[in-house]
Amino acid sequence: AQSVTQLGSHVSVSEGALVLLRCNYSSSVPPYLFWYVQYPNQGLQLLLKYTTGATLVKGINGFEAEFKKSETSFHLTKPSAHMSDAAEYFCAVTNSGNTGKLIFGQGTTLQVKP
Amino acid sequence: DTGVSQNPRHKITKRGQNVTFRCDPISEHNRLYWYRQTLGQGPEFLTYFQNEAQLEKSRLLSDRFSAERPKGSFSTLEIQRTEQGDSAMYLCASSSWTGRDSPLHFGNGTRLTVT
């Protein structure tokens, strides 16, 4: 069965500082991994995805994530935080069958301090 | 591409009442998903459709819940005899399924409050 664990329910950084949001996965098949962002009272917006190929994936808004099979991790980073990055971030893995459904982690709230 | 549209955005209802939510997916997306999200948690899968066929239902979807997708276009999610535990954000997503790497596109959700 597939699962995702996001380490740290809240992360606080200063504006301009490095953002690191952690995600570890468990999958019985080669994983397809996603990061989504959710702003208050809104739906989820896709930031980036990893399927196959290059393990460093670039997404929107300056975010990127690196797939590390040996560590079963898919951490999300951004070199310099902006106030507008404050939101909730979800890591997700596709389930093993052909349903296309995503299994989400519990989310990490990112706070950006001025 | 106008995005996934959900209505209403907010619904307040009294316990025991029935409610219905609507989701309009991105045009020509063949798959449609319903998720439920409670405060501080990630979305949890409820059910999904491929065209008009409902292919999977989660154990979270009790017999008070029913979903339809007539003609493979919009979908409705109905909750009968609502309970306070049904209070949550209900998210709809659609995808143009070509494989496991197909991303889901989410709507802004319907927030249900049961008093």
Side-chain angles (χ1 to χ4, degrees), chain A residues 14-53:
Chain A
S14 298
E15 190 173 20
L18 171 71
V19 175
L20 171 61
L21 304 182
R22 300 178 186 274
C23 172
N24 287 89
Y25 69 88
S26 174
S27 180
S28 56
V29 298
Y32 288 178
L33 296 157
F34 301 78
W35 275 100
Y36 282 83
V37 61
Q38 185 177 35
Y39 298 100
N41 297 315
Q42 292 190 23
L44 281 71
Q45 179 183 4
L46 179 67
L47 278 176
L48 50 81
K49 68 177 183 180
Y50 168 78
T51 55
T52 58

Side-chain angles (χ1 to χ4, degrees), chain A residues 39-74:
Chain A
Y39 298 100
N41 297 315
Q42 292 190 23
L44 281 71
Q45 179 183 4
L46 179 67
L47 278 176
L48 50 81
K49 68 177 183 180
Y50 168 78
T51 55
T52 58
T55 57
L56 183 62
V57 180
K58 295 187 184 298
I60 62 171
N61 301 339
F63 284 94
E64 60 183 35
E66 186 171 11
F67 172 68
K68 292 187 176 180
K69 183 178 179 180
S70 62
E71 299 177 7
T72 61
S73 68
F74 189 56

